[in-house]
């Protein structure tokens, strides 16, 4: 079983502005891509949040770092192990 990074992401996971309709935005994005493209999307978002974490918010970057952890956990959950 893959390890999961621990962090309080309650305000990051399933935010109301991404769950307005019947489907959550991340699920629509995933359904619109190949598996490999979706993994690339998740990695790209991790890079984005890492690169801007000290420049956007007045919280020392903790909000963006929690978002990075959310995307890292989503990536880990979507890794397909080839045997």
């Amino acid at each position: 079983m893959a390890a999961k990074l621990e962090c309080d992401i309650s305000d990051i996971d399933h935010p109301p502005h991404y769950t307005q309709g019947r489907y959550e935005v991340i699920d629509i994005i995933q359904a619109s891509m190949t598996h490999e493209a979706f993994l690339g999307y998740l990695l790209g978002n991790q890079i984005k949040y890492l690169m801007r974490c000290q420049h956007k918010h007045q919280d020392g970057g903790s909000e963006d770092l929690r978002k990075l952890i959310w995307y890292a956990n989503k990536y880990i959950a979507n890794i397909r192990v080839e045997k």
Side-chain angles (χ1 to χ4, degrees):
M1 180 166 180
K4 187 173 184 178
L5 298 172
E6 295 298 326
C7 178
D8 179 15
I9 58 170
S10 57
D11 57 338
I12 305 295
D13 198 23
H14 310 292
H17 58 281
Y18 285 139
T19 56
Q20 292 293 318
R22 187 175 195 178
Y23 303 101
E24 191 166 352
V25 174
I26 192 73
D27 297 327
I28 295 168
I29 292 169
Q30 184 173 9
S32 74
M33 299 179 166
T34 65
H35 180 71
E36 293 77 20
F38 184 62
L39 290 177
Y41 168 81
L42 297 172
L43 286 174
N45 275 308
Q46 290 173 66
I47 293 166
K48 171 181 72 174
Y49 287 117
L50 178 62
M51 298 301 295
R52 73 180 203 179
C53 69
Q54 293 182 317
H55 305 289
K56 186 176 175 199
H57 302 286
Q58 300 300 320
D59 63 0
S62 65
E63 181 177 337
D64 279 346
L65 292 173
R66 287 187 317 228
K67 290 178 182 179
L68 182 151
I69 290 168
W70 187 91
Y71 278 100
N73 285 331
K74 187 77 167 171
Y75 182 90
I76 291 166
N78 281 276
I79 294 173
R80 291 186 182 155
V81 178
E82 301 290 327
K83 291 187 180 192

